[in-house]
Amino acid sequence: MGKVKIKRKSTLIDMTAMSDVTVLLLTFFMLTSTFLQKEPTIVYTPSSVSEEKVPTNNLVTILISSSDKSGKLENAASVEGKLFISFTGDADSTFSSEKIRGMMLEEAVSIYNDQHKNAPVRLTNQQVAEFTKINMFGVPFSVLPEYLSMSITDRDKFQGDLTQPKVGIPIDGNKNREGRLNEFQIWLKAIYNVAQRINNEQCEGLDAEQRARVQNLYGALMRQGKGIAVKADKDTPFTVVELVFDNLQTMKLNKFSLMTALKSEDEPTQ
Amino acid sequence: MAQIEPSDKGGKKKKGAQKKMQIHVDFTPMVDMNMLLITFFMLCTTMIKSQTLQIVLPTNEEVKQEQQAQAKASEAITIILDTEYGDNGKPLVDAETGKTVHHIYYYEGVADTTFQTTNFLREQQFIGNVNRQAQGIRAILREKNKAVMEQYEILKQQWRNKEITKEQFDELAKQNSNDSTKTRPVVVIKPGPNCTYEGLICALDEMQINQISRYSIELPTHTDTLLLQEFERRNGRTIIRPTVR
């Protein structure tokens, strides 16, 4: 009898199919993903039954920081109510985020300098260019040049430390639209002015498609209240949010939206 | 990674014949890398988009008393919102449900400053639906807005039966909630000093669920405080807590 020869089988597994599947999955995730925008502080929005989606373009987001949740700070409320603003333009280049941010900054700085003639803020072209790249910011005008000269990591670190008095856009209870505005109101006025200007000047000499885009931007910011979204934590006291509402009302931006998460009708609260 | 193996088909090979080579490419590192990338994308993306709740506030400019539209006393309902805080200075969370404890005190019509009516100010909570039946403050608001809600339910049924489209439904529902021939309530939402943002959103939600088109957000007045004090006295409970901040 001859010896039975045991065939040695190779243990290699064909990974081609597996690779196909993973590439497909990867493509899916790449196409559907919208990246989380970096925000200086995390807030948990309350939930609501409203099913309207947050628009992805032509949006001004006002973020209100919540009190300290980590329990590390002695006075948890000291970091509460700091304001941050983010401008998002159209996905198209006509009114890209960069362009909108540049326009807003120029307008806001000119209003600020008009009101603070003895301590004007001067920004170099490079600093303005830096500003157009920042998604969300929240520093007073006086700190703006210093803030814009920092490197990206330093900037995040600086803005992330909410205990500093230099972080957060200053706000108070001023109700006089024509008088000396607080810095938050200056930004709101800049939004108002820029929207008006775009609507008035740039409508001429544009083709129908571009005009529609102007109308979109103007409508979002001014009329339908879809262009301004207030984002606050569910545990933030109403008095803090009310101050922001009050300032928005003073600046005649009394149509806006509140960011919420989704819940079903049956649940009482989140 | 990629190996070239001589094919080992049995039998003798002819001399001089070219060896047949099989090419194996090992895809394992490729799969590893893809998995890493997938993990990265999964962690960095937001699948759930936030929703928005639209809100229109009146202008801040002073309105003369005569110009103010006065709501009929029979239609008015005022709800005062309050959130309970725990000892740690954070909103109190119910151990059973895991939800923040909100209290609602409400009264109908004009504030009774004589404090003669028993049970003028009543207490309610956000309960939501139980077995598809409105509970808590929702049931009270629904009762107040009965005329609108009846028509709304009919519209909803039509939409479910695909007799009307979603757009038509939205349009008709909006017309219905703004129908001035029906008796509709005017709700005044008054977030108290301890009310959290969530409390306000819950109250605004109730407006949307109950199709109430006329509501306003105001700060509580001195009269409201007096009413709350009266409520405390009658029920022998402390409901006015010191303001947390």
Side-chain angles (χ1 to χ4, degrees), chain A residues 150-161:
Chain A
M150 289 181 196
S151 71
I152 297 172
T153 37
D154 283 348
R155 215 181 279 148
D156 286 347
K157 213 189 279 170
F158 177 79
Q159 201 166 252
D161 183 11

Side-chain angles (χ1 to χ4, degrees), chain A residues 25-38, chain B residues 36-50:
Chain A
L25 270 174
L26 190 59
T27 323
F28 169 74
F29 276 109
M30 280 175 79
L31 291 180
T32 55
S33 70
T34 43
F35 280 97
L36 280 177
Q37 292 290 353
K38 208 183 326 172
Chain B
L36 272 181
L37 280 173
I38 289 174
T39 323
F40 169 74
F41 275 100
M42 277 175 76
L43 292 180
C44 290
T45 55
T46 36
M47 284 297 195
I48 316 157
K49 267 186 82 182
S50 309

Side-chain angles (χ1 to χ4, degrees), chain B residues 7-29:
Chain B
S7 59
D8 50 345
K9 277 179 194 163
K12 279 173 193 170
K13 280 164 200 160
K14 269 185 196 165
K15 240 187 181 178
Q18 248 189 343
K19 272 187 191 168
K20 261 197 183 161
M21 298 294 195
Q22 261 187 356
I23 304 172
H24 284 290
V25 181
D26 188 4
F27 273 102
T28 323

Side-chain angles (χ1 to χ4, degrees), chain A residues 22-23 33 36 48-50 52 54 80 224 226 234 236-238 249-250 254 256 258 260 265-266 268, chain B residues 34 42 45-46 49-55 57-61 126 129 138 195 197-198 202 205 245:
Chain A
T22 52
V23 169
S33 70
L36 280 177
S48 134
V49 293
S50 172
E52 217 157 311
V54 174
E80 188 174 72
Q224 299 145 358
K226 279 181 188 159
K234 65 189 178 68
T236 302
F238 175 70
Q249 277 174 289
T250 305
N254 41 9
F256 49 91
L258 310 172
T260 53
E265 226 172 77
D266 295 343
Chain B
N34 281 350
M42 277 175 76
T45 55
T46 36
K49 267 186 82 182
S50 309
Q51 324 288 316
T52 60
L53 185 71
Q54 297 227 350
I55 179 170
L57 296 176
T59 54
N60 237 355
E61 284 155 18
F126 294 114
N129 291 356
R138 189 175 297 171
C195 174
Y197 181 54
E198 187 187 53
C202 284
D205 261 358
R245 292 194 197 117

Side-chain angles (χ1 to χ4, degrees), chain A residues 215-232:
Chain A
Q215 287 299 324
N216 248 344
L217 179 72
Y218 178 75
L221 288 177
M222 307 298 298
R223 260 189 262 117
Q224 299 145 358
K226 279 181 188 159
I228 298 172
V230 177
K231 193 174 182 183

Side-chain angles (χ1 to χ4, degrees), chain B residues 191-210:
Chain B
N194 274 341
C195 174
T196 60
Y197 181 54
E198 187 187 53
L200 174 76
I201 298 285
C202 284
L204 291 176
D205 261 358
E206 294 301 327
M207 299 302 119
Q208 194 174 346
I209 292 166
N210 292 312

Side-chain angles (χ1 to χ4, degrees), chain B residues 37-152:
Chain B
L37 280 173
I38 289 174
T39 323
F40 169 74
F41 275 100
M42 277 175 76
L43 292 180
C44 290
T45 55
T46 36
M47 284 297 195
I48 316 157
K49 267 186 82 182
S50 309
Q51 324 288 316
T52 60
L53 185 71
Q54 297 227 350
I55 179 170
V56 181
L57 296 176
T59 54
N60 237 355
E61 284 155 18
E62 301 246 325
V63 184
K64 279 186 193 145
Q65 203 69 35
E66 308 95 64
Q67 289 175 336
Q68 263 177 355
Q70 292 286 333
K72 272 189 226 159
S74 60
E75 291 175 340
I77 176 163
T78 306
I79 58 179
I80 303 166
L81 307 174
D82 184 34
T83 309
E84 209 168 308
Y85 273 73
D87 296 331
N88 57 356
K90 293 196 169 91
L92 189 72
V93 176
D94 191 306
E96 220 171 276
T97 54
K99 302 187 195 310
T100 317
V101 185
H102 297 288
H103 295 281
I104 307 162
Y105 304 96
Y106 74 98
Y107 61 86
E108 291 166 28
V110 183
D112 171 31
T113 43
T114 58
F115 308 113
Q116 294 307 309
T117 335
T118 40
N119 267 338
F120 179 68
L121 190 74
R122 274 163 285 176
E123 190 184 356
Q124 267 305 340
Q125 284 188 328
F126 294 114
I127 303 178
N129 291 356
V130 175
N131 299 328
R132 302 215 153 264
Q133 285 298 306
Q135 304 287 326
I137 190 75
R138 189 175 297 171
I140 287 139
L141 291 172
R142 183 158 298 206
E143 181 59 29
K144 274 266 166 192
N145 206 20
K146 213 163 51 181
V148 171
M149 284 312 281
E150 273 165 8
Q151 178 66 22
Y152 180 71

Side-chain angles (χ1 to χ4, degrees), chain B residues 230-243:
Chain B
E230 180 67 14
F231 183 89
E232 276 183 330
R233 202 181 55 76
R234 276 180 204 263
N235 295 283
R237 284 171 44 197
T238 328
I239 54 164
I240 302 177
R241 284 175 295 276
T243 315

